[in-house]
Amino acid sequence: MSKRRVTYYYDPDTGAYTYGLGHLMKPHRVSVTHELVNAYDMLGQMHVLKPRRATPESMTAFHTDEYIHFLNRVTPETVEEMTGHGSRFLVGDDNPAFEGVFEFCSISAGGSICASERIADGSADIAINWAGGLHHAKKREASGFCYINDIVLGILELLRTYPRVLYIDIDCHHGDGVEEAFYTTDRVMTCSFHKFGEYFPGTGTQEDRGRGKGKGYSINVPLKDGITDEAFQSVFDPIIAKILEVYRPSAVVLQCGADSLAGDRLGCFNITMEGHAHCVQFLRKYNIPLILLGGGGYTVKNVVRVWAYETACALGIEADIDPNLPWNSYFEWFGPRYRLEVLENNMEDLNVRDGLLDKIRITALQQLQELAPAPSVGMHDVPRESIGHHLGLRSDQVRARDALDSRLAQHARYVYDLQPESDTPSSTSSSSTTTSEKSWDSNSNSDEDDDENDDVDDGNGANNSRSRTRTRRRQQQRMSILTGQYFDVPPPYELTTTAAAAAAAGYGDLGLGLARRAAKRRFFQSGARLCKRKIRGFRMAITENEGSESE
């Protein structure tokens, strides 16, 4: 096979973090994968780099400032207070606030951002970050063992250079976080192959196809238990080939979640190591810039095997490596056979009943056939560095704000969080869909009706009022990836207005005495302007107080 320039990102500190005793997610699997890759002498055939850790500022390219600030400060001792007893940021038990959670996230996100930069500047044909692929994280909330969505951050970096990016997800769980982030744009096409039906996160039907400008650019392939290599390839190959033909992506991001392997502790597919790695081999043939990321995978010895084998596939040497494992520091983990293999089991393939797989494939191909030719976008020269960096202004050199500015900013944040989300009473139970906040009812399988009614003219030049008022209820339930059970959560940003609650929320003793609101007003609907007078009075009070103290 032809040579590819492969860049491999690895931080030795990745395996030092733990989600807690007994938790299914094991960051240590990345370190074991690195040991096996090294034992096969593959490191000398790649450009091996330690990724630059992502800064809080770079993470806010997708996530909210409040969420990043929370992750940077939370500890196991303060998590109950900072999350409002589990009502925001870290909902449920899937995402514990373990020691060093922010550093772990910065490694994962930094690797994906660096991989995207390497691909964008043409320094590599394939970039690998097995510590990435955490596809469930939302804009302001952790989900499904994922805190920071490194995939979205990496794709945003690619979009600075490339007009179109294709994201493919072969994790057993639906790639909901990435799909939601790019649900209304045609510059990113998402395609997810996943288990569907009373399974976390409960989303990803074939009717979820995108919205607005992104209509048709979200492809979902919902599968059932026990799918085998042959069945999986019968849907993967034609669908991906059609996407590449129609969409013509400039770069591809492949999330290689290993919980779709046979025998995974949370997965329910029956795919072997070769069947999983076939996806890498298939995409490599097209010679399109490719990023390989990790993801799920909870039987560690199988995760290590498949990621090491897929590293060999990226190099094009999979036919040359010995299936008998070489000696390494974790050799005893791979007994009793000590071979580079993940075998299928005797699960029944439910996908072949009643021609289900053929229906899924035909539906997906018909959806792709309806798409217009590859969308174009006006591109501009990409600055290689920011103005501040060019002038030598680093974050550690910027003069800190004075005490008055800090207190005013603290006050403004608190006031903003207290604003109602809309002027109508019904807004407390509904919200419109945005690029980064697509949400749906836990029992809803389709948004087709909403899309058909968007911007419909009634014949008199006015938009259909029903399409303007039709909104989705904010999802008030979350599903646990560990148990599969739903649990209720309160609406986001529901705050009390007492001084004690303000202090607990990290805003200090403001003593505003404002009325309690059920939800926050949208920022660009002039909600903040309502409090100009209060902020002005607050500033005057502080100034007068400081003047009297000086006397």
Side-chain angles (χ1 to χ4, degrees), residues 53-65 68-69 72 102 113 153 394-396 398:
R53 298 194 178 186
T55 63
E57 291 78 12
S58 63
M59 294 180 187
T60 56
F62 171 62
H63 297 282
T64 64
D65 294 358
I68 298 302
H69 185 57
N72 203 6
F102 185 79
I113 293 173
L153 296 176
R394 303 296 182 86
S395 58
D396 55 353
V398 177

Side-chain angles (χ1 to χ4, degrees), residues 5-298:
R5 295 171 299 164
V6 180
T7 298
Y8 173 91
Y9 283 98
Y10 173 71
D11 190 315
D13 292 339
T14 306
Y17 300 95
T18 175
Y19 278 54
L21 184 65
H23 201 284
L24 288 177
M25 175 61 93
K26 309 290 185 183
H28 188 59
R29 62 198 179 143
V30 179
S31 298
V32 183
T33 300
H34 181 76
E35 287 290 330
L36 189 56
V37 169
N38 183 39
Y40 271 112
D41 295 325
M42 286 188 270
L43 296 181
Q45 305 179 54
M46 301 182 289
H47 194 176
V48 181
L49 296 173
K50 181 179 179 180
R52 181 182 66 256
R53 298 194 178 186
T55 63
E57 291 78 12
S58 63
M59 294 180 187
T60 56
F62 171 62
H63 297 282
T64 64
D65 294 358
E66 294 82 1
Y67 179 53
I68 298 302
H69 185 57
F70 161 81
L71 285 179
N72 203 6
R73 295 167 52 224
V74 70
T75 65
E77 293 76 24
T78 62
V79 61
E80 281 294 311
E81 177 185 356
M82 295 183 66
T83 61
H85 301 286
S87 63
R88 61 184 305 194
F89 297 141
L90 304 181
V91 182
D93 299 325
D94 295 346
N95 294 83
F98 59 87
E99 197 69 45
V101 60
F102 185 79
E103 288 76 15
F104 172 74
C105 293
S106 67
I107 294 173
S108 171
S112 296
I113 293 173
C114 289
S116 297
E117 292 174 347
R118 193 83 178 168
I119 290 293
D121 64 19
S123 302
D125 302 313
I126 301 175
I128 301 173
N129 175 34
W130 294 130
L134 305 181
H135 58 167
H136 294 306
K138 307 298 191 297
K139 186 180 184 68
R140 56 190 178 194
E141 183 180 309
S143 176
F145 308 159
C146 307
Y147 299 84
I148 293 295
N149 202 315
D150 62 285
I151 305 172
V152 173
L153 296 176
I155 292 176
L156 290 174
E157 182 63 33
L158 289 174
L159 292 177
R160 299 177 72 240
T161 303
Y162 293 125
R164 294 178 301 279
V165 175
L166 170 62
Y167 170 70
I168 303 172
D169 193 312
I170 57 174
D171 193 287
C172 192
H173 301 89
H174 178 227
D176 58 333
V178 184
E179 179 183 285
E180 289 179 21
F182 301 109
Y183 203 64
T184 60
T185 180
D186 58 0
R187 291 195 61 193
V188 179
M189 173 173 276
T190 61
C191 181
S192 177
F193 299 82
H194 54 270
K195 160 69 186 295
F196 181 78
E198 292 301 318
Y199 193 70
F200 181 88
T203 57
T205 70
Q206 288 196 288
E207 288 75 26
D208 292 328
R209 300 177 54 192
R211 192 175 179 89
K213 194 175 181 180
K215 178 71 173 179
Y217 292 95
S218 293
I219 302 297
N220 286 296
V221 184
L223 304 170
K224 293 188 178 297
D225 293 4
I227 191 167
T228 60
D229 291 357
E230 182 180 358
F232 188 78
Q233 291 176 24
S234 71
V235 291
F236 182 89
D237 290 7
I239 291 175
I240 297 302
K242 186 64 176 179
I243 289 176
L244 295 176
E245 174 191 343
V246 173
Y247 191 64
R248 303 182 65 83
S250 308
V252 178
V253 178
L254 176 62
Q255 196 263 19
C256 303
D259 50 6
S260 50
L261 289 170
D264 189 82
R265 296 174 68 183
L266 280 184
C268 50
F269 287 170
N270 196 14
I271 299 176
T272 68
M273 181 183 71
E274 290 79 6
H276 196 275
H278 170 79
C279 303
V280 178
Q281 297 169 327
F282 184 84
L283 290 167
R284 190 182 185 275
K285 294 187 302 183
Y286 284 87
N287 201 23
I288 301 173
L290 176 63
I291 295 178
L292 301 181
L293 303 175
Y298 310 102

Side-chain angles (χ1 to χ4, degrees), residues 406-455:
S406 298
R407 296 173 69 183
L408 283 172
Q410 196 175 55
H411 170 79
R413 287 199 305 271
Y414 181 60
V415 170
Y416 170 56
D417 278 343
L418 292 173
Q419 301 308 307
E421 191 165 43
S422 176
D423 295 331
T424 60
S426 62
S427 66
T428 58
S429 62
S430 65
S431 62
S432 59
T433 303
T434 64
T435 302
S436 59
E437 294 182 344
K438 182 178 74 69
S439 54
W440 48 81
D441 294 335
S442 58
N443 297 323
S444 173
N445 292 330
S446 172
D447 62 4
E448 192 73 24
D449 295 337
D450 289 349
D451 294 327
E452 290 178 355
N453 288 321
D454 284 346
D455 299 326

Side-chain angles (χ1 to χ4, degrees), residues 357-480:
L357 209 59
D358 292 332
K359 296 176 183 177
I360 293 173
R361 180 176 58 252
I362 292 171
T363 300
L365 293 176
Q366 287 177 344
Q367 291 174 348
L368 290 169
Q369 190 66 36
E370 297 171 1
L371 285 181
S376 61
V377 60
M379 302 301 292
H380 304 276
D381 181 56
V382 179
R384 294 297 177 258
E385 59 183 1
S386 66
I387 295 177
H389 186 274
H390 180 73
L391 296 176
L393 301 177
R394 303 296 182 86
S395 58
D396 55 353
Q397 297 172 343
V398 177
R399 181 174 58 86
R401 295 180 297 181
D402 59 38
L404 179 58
D405 286 339
S406 298
R407 296 173 69 183
L408 283 172
Q410 196 175 55
H411 170 79
R413 287 199 305 271
Y414 181 60
V415 170
Y416 170 56
D417 278 343
L418 292 173
Q419 301 308 307
E421 191 165 43
S422 176
D423 295 331
T424 60
S426 62
S427 66
T428 58
S429 62
S430 65
S431 62
S432 59
T433 303
T434 64
T435 302
S436 59
E437 294 182 344
K438 182 178 74 69
S439 54
W440 48 81
D441 294 335
S442 58
N443 297 323
S444 173
N445 292 330
S446 172
D447 62 4
E448 192 73 24
D449 295 337
D450 289 349
D451 294 327
E452 290 178 355
N453 288 321
D454 284 346
D455 299 326
V456 177
D457 194 274
D458 62 2
N460 298 320
N463 286 336
N464 190 317
S465 60
R466 185 178 64 167
S467 68
R468 296 171 64 91
T469 58
R470 180 189 290 268
T471 56
R472 300 167 183 242
R473 289 180 296 161
R474 185 177 298 278
Q475 183 173 327
Q476 300 300 321
Q477 288 187 322
R478 300 289 187 271
M479 177 186 279
S480 170

